[in-house]
Amino acid sequence: MKSVIKLELQEAKVMIEAAKQAAEEAGALESICIVDDGGYVIALERMDGGRITGPEIAIAKAFTASGHKRSTHLFNQPGGPATTTGEAFGIHAMLPGKFAIFVGGFPVVVNGQVVGGVGVSGGNGEQDTAVGTAALRALQEYLGSDYEVMTQADIKK
C-alpha cells in the first residue's frame, strides 16, 4: 500500500499567485495552469492582456509535465527523446493539442512523488522558466520543511 500526497486548490492558488508576481517582475503576460497527477486542471489564470492562445498551451505543458514526469523542454534538447534521432520522436503527435515538447512545463514533485504539473505560456523561454520555478518555490515555502519540493528547472523523475 502506498500513501499518496494530493495537490489541492489551496496549493494551486499559492503557486499561481507567486507565478503571477514573477511574471510581472519579468515583464511577461502569462497564462499559468496547475494540474493534478492525472493531468486535470486544478487552477488556470490568464493575466490581463495575455495571449488568447496561452491557456490551452499552458494546460498542455502542465499535462505533459505531470503525465510524463519531466520538464517539457527536456524532450527536445540535444539528445532528448523527442528529437529526430530520439526514441520518442513524434510523441507530441500521439496526443495532438495535449502534449507539449517545449519550454514552460514542470512536474510538481513533492517528497519524490509527482503530484501534478505547472504550465506557463506567454513569455519567452527564460520568462516561462522563471515563472514556473517561482511557482514551485512558492509551494515549497507554503508546505514548509515537512515536505521537499523539487524547484529547479530541469526535472526528470
Side-chain angles (χ1 to χ4, degrees), residues 108-133:
V108 179
V109 182
V110 179
N111 290 357
Q113 296 179 36
V114 177
V115 299
V118 56
V120 181
S121 178
N124 61 35
E126 287 180 17
Q127 291 167 322
D128 287 359
T129 298
V131 171
T133 55

Side-chain angles (χ1 to χ4, degrees), residues 90-114:
I91 193 169
H92 57 286
M94 294 300 300
L95 294 168
K98 291 191 75 161
F99 207 92
I101 60 169
F102 45 89
V103 69
F106 309 92
V108 179
V109 182
V110 179
N111 290 357
Q113 296 179 36
V114 177

Side-chain angles (χ1 to χ4, degrees), residues 9 31 37 39 50 59 81-82 86 103 107 114-115 117 123 135 151:
L9 182 59
S31 291
D37 59 338
I59 291 168
V103 69
V114 177
V115 299
T151 59

